[in-house]
């Protein structure tokens, strides 16, 4: 059925009365979201004890954390910006980011830890559940904030964009957990470090479907 002229007029009048945020307001809101996405996990990290090096040498802490930070920073830049296209980055690039980031982080951690005697031994009392919990706590709000900041920005492949954002957040969380956790035993890394990364990427994919695909407010 074709709506009547009167109905169309009322719909247009109601739409015209809805306040439209300015570009400056949107930028300020997104900056506030991203800033809170940095501050909140740092507060959680500090409340859990912050940096714990022992029994690791300080050089090992620096090597693994600095490399992870470089990976996380690169992932954040690629995931949170649209690149040269207003439609966002190509799907292949987003998939590569989501799948390749955890591989690089894991390989970096294992490579440098294996160079120090005793750093990859099993800790029976630390299967990885505490790292899993810390990872989830520190990732929750940054993921929501980052996806909200990208709301309506990628109409072509929002799920892939969400996955890439989830991977970027997972990489940032990896840095914090790496500074807190002295264990490099491979099964522990899979449970406490890789698994939460995968959960973060999956959650980003889901949020991308429901949030990033929406028209920006």
């Amino acid at each position: 059925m074709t709506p009547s002229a009167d109905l169309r007029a009322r719909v247009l009048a109601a739409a015209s009365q809805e306040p439209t945020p300015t570009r400056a307001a949107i930028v300020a809101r997104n900056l506030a979201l991203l800033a809170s996405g940095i501050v909140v996990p740092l507060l959680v990290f500090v409340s859990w004890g912050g940096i714990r090096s022992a029994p690791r040498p300080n050089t090992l802490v620096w090597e693994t954390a600095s490399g992870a930070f470089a990976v996380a920073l690169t992932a954040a830049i690629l995931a949170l910006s649209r690149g040269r296209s207003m439609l966002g980055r190509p799907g292949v690039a987003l998939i590569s980011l989501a799948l390749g980031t955890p591989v690089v982080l894991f390989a970096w951690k294992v490579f440098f830890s294996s160079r120090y005697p005793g750093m990859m031994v099993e800790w029976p009392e630390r299967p990885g559940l505490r790292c899993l919990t810390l990872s989830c706590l520190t990732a929750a709000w940054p993921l929501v904030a980052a996806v909200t900041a990208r709301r309506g920005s990628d109409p072509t492949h929002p799920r892939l964009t969400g996955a890439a954002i989830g991977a970027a957040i997972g990489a940032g969380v990896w840095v914090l957990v790496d500074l807190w956790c002295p264990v490099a035993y491979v099964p522990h890394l899979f449970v406490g470090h890789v698994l939460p990364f995968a959960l973060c990427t999956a959650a980003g994919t889901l949020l991308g479907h429901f949030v990033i695909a929406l028209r920006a407010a």
Side-chain angles (χ1 to χ4, degrees):
M1 296 178 61
T2 303
S4 65
D6 178 64
L7 177 59
R8 290 199 300 270
R10 282 186 289 155
V11 170
L12 291 174
S16 65
Q17 295 176 2
E18 290 292 328
T20 302
T22 64
R23 180 175 179 81
I26 293 175
V27 170
R29 180 196 65 186
N30 290 344
L31 288 177
L33 283 170
L34 295 177
S36 68
I38 295 174
V39 172
V40 170
L42 286 177
L43 292 176
V44 174
F45 173 67
V46 171
S47 71
W48 273 58
I51 300 174
R52 302 190 307 170
S53 58
R56 294 176 292 175
N58 290 331
T59 53
L60 176 57
V61 177
W62 164 253
E63 288 170 349
T64 58
S66 61
F69 177 79
V71 173
L73 181 60
T74 302
I77 293 173
L78 294 176
L80 297 177
S81 62
R82 301 184 188 185
R84 298 180 179 180
S85 172
M86 291 301 295
L87 297 178
R89 298 189 182 277
V92 174
L94 297 174
I95 293 174
S96 300
L97 176 62
L99 298 180
T101 301
V103 174
V104 174
L105 289 170
F106 180 80
W108 186 277
K109 175 73 172 179
V110 171
F111 173 76
F112 281 97
S113 298
S114 65
R115 297 171 64 237
Y116 292 81
M119 288 297 101
M120 296 189 64
V121 298
E122 180 182 5
W123 289 37
E125 72 280 10
R126 293 288 297 275
L129 298 180
R130 295 180 66 191
C131 290
L132 174 61
T133 302
L134 177 58
S135 297
C136 292
L137 289 175
T138 52
W141 174 247
L143 180 59
V144 171
V147 170
T148 303
R150 286 293 305 272
R151 182 172 184 256
S153 64
D154 189 345
T156 57
H157 33 53
R159 287 184 291 273
L160 293 181
T161 297
I165 292 175
I169 299 302
V173 168
W174 182 295
V175 176
L176 295 179
V177 176
D178 183 74
L179 289 170
W180 182 80
C181 173
V183 184
Y185 183 55
V186 169
H188 170 98
L189 293 179
F190 279 126
V191 173
H193 300 240
V194 177
L195 176 59
F197 190 106
L199 294 175
C200 196
T201 303
T205 304
L206 186 64
L207 288 173
H209 175 72
F210 289 104
V211 179
I212 296 178
L214 296 177
R215 181 177 62 85

